Amino acid sequence: MKKHQGKMYDAIPGSAMVKAYRYGQTIEITDAPKSKQVIEVLPGYRYKDLRSGKIKKMRQRTQVRSDNIKSIKATMARLRRLIGANFNGGRTELWVTLTYDSLMRNTAIVYRDFKVFMQRVRQCDWGKTLEYLTVIEPQASGSWHLHVLFKRTDGKTLYVSNSEMAQLWQHGFTCTKRLRETDNVTAYLMAYLTDVAVGADKAKRPKQIAKGARLHLYPANTRIYRASRGIKKPLVQRNFKAKILADEGIDRDADKRYKRNYHHNTQEITITTEFYNINGIKKGGEGHETDA
């Protein structure tokens, strides 16, 4: 049993059958869900919470995607693995933000504009060998913008001025930057895409961060990300945990872990996930156009 964020959790046993994802410098291991009954369904669209004894009304319709937080977190987990499998920072990559100069609340228009933008990009010499991963991001105002990770596949340096990128976009402000190879690109971008900065004070101290707050801004059925056909999927395998660690030459104690709890219908489900840093990168599987 080990401590994580002030709580004590059991490690996944070495004898457990697990699902492992390999992407970038990371092995992510997840055990089978463990569940317990926490709700008793009653007539008249009501249920009893077996932990508190309280009787509550059921929601008869999902209004926003955050009502099913399990689904959106699973999407973000897939996005995290895709980033880790394909982007490491450095001279062949760029991170671009595409915004609108007026309020934009229609995601269909955003993706239509992105498609036209990519057609212009492909006409540039530097755009002919690009792979991309784009993520749509909501603001508290209800307006949308896009983040795009670009990567040249020919090994050449990818340099595009921000003014050129803005001319290609044509809808508003753009920000073009390079992420350093020394950065943890996946952790940095996922924090940026899911957390919300709040409460800047007059002393210009760092803003407080509301962890995961942006997840609740996504409406139901939003396609959060898209990827080009050359984006590689993480390698996935099912095996005993001890066998996976042995094959990778990983010390079983060199990990960090956490537990996730979520409600699904009448059950509370717990999944334990462990992350291991690895040396060297194995070639991932071929990807395809991905929507979520």
Side-chain angles (χ1 to χ4, degrees), residues 98 100 109-130 132 150 160 164-172 174:
L98 308 172
Y100 285 86
I109 293 177
V110 175
Y111 277 130
R112 182 199 66 189
D113 291 342
F114 178 74
K115 183 177 180 179
V116 175
F117 166 73
M118 282 305 303
Q119 289 171 350
R120 298 191 188 107
V121 167
R122 295 297 189 195
Q123 293 175 1
C124 302
D125 289 340
W126 54 268
K128 292 179 171 59
T129 63
L130 287 185
Y132 69 82
F150 283 125
V160 187
E164 182 180 356
M165 197 68 74
Q167 290 175 1
L168 293 167
W169 173 236
Q170 297 184 5
H171 295 287
T174 63

Side-chain angles (χ1 to χ4, degrees), residues 95-253:
W95 180 29
V96 181
T97 302
L98 308 172
T99 68
Y100 285 86
D101 53 15
S102 59
L103 198 64
M104 172 52 67
R105 291 181 173 173
N106 190 322
T107 57
I109 293 177
V110 175
Y111 277 130
R112 182 199 66 189
D113 291 342
F114 178 74
K115 183 177 180 179
V116 175
F117 166 73
M118 282 305 303
Q119 289 171 350
R120 298 191 188 107
V121 167
R122 295 297 189 195
Q123 293 175 1
C124 302
D125 289 340
W126 54 268
K128 292 179 171 59
T129 63
L130 287 185
E131 299 296 344
Y132 69 82
L133 183 60
T134 184
V135 186
I136 194 166
E137 184 186 31
Q139 299 300 302
S141 64
S143 189
W144 295 93
H145 64 254
L146 291 167
H147 295 285
V148 190
L149 280 166
F150 283 125
K151 180 177 184 177
R152 286 190 72 144
T153 58
D154 58 5
K156 295 181 180 180
T157 298
L158 177 58
Y159 173 78
V160 187
S161 69
N162 192 58
S163 60
E164 182 180 356
M165 197 68 74
Q167 290 175 1
L168 293 167
W169 173 236
Q170 297 184 5
H171 295 287
F173 174 78
T174 63
C175 178
T176 305
K177 62 186 298 185
R178 192 180 309 282
L179 297 173
R180 298 174 301 178
E181 290 180 284
T182 54
D183 292 334
N184 186 330
V185 173
T186 305
Y188 176 80
L189 292 183
M190 290 309 299
Y192 190 95
L193 294 169
T194 58
D195 299 340
V196 173
V198 295
D201 61 20
K202 296 180 180 179
K204 295 185 178 180
R205 291 193 293 249
K207 294 180 181 180
Q208 295 178 348
I209 303 296
K211 296 293 184 182
R214 199 175 304 280
L215 301 182
H216 296 271
L217 299 177
Y218 285 96
N221 302 316
T222 303
R223 300 168 71 177
I224 294 177
Y225 66 83
R226 291 183 178 183
S228 58
R229 293 184 180 277
I231 290 296
K232 298 176 182 178
K233 291 181 178 180
L235 292 172
V236 183
Q237 62 173 312
R238 293 184 183 273
N239 210 325
F240 296 107
K241 174 186 170 182
K243 171 65 174 172
I244 292 172
L245 296 186
D247 288 347
E248 294 290 346
I250 296 173
D251 182 347
R252 62 181 299 167
D253 292 323

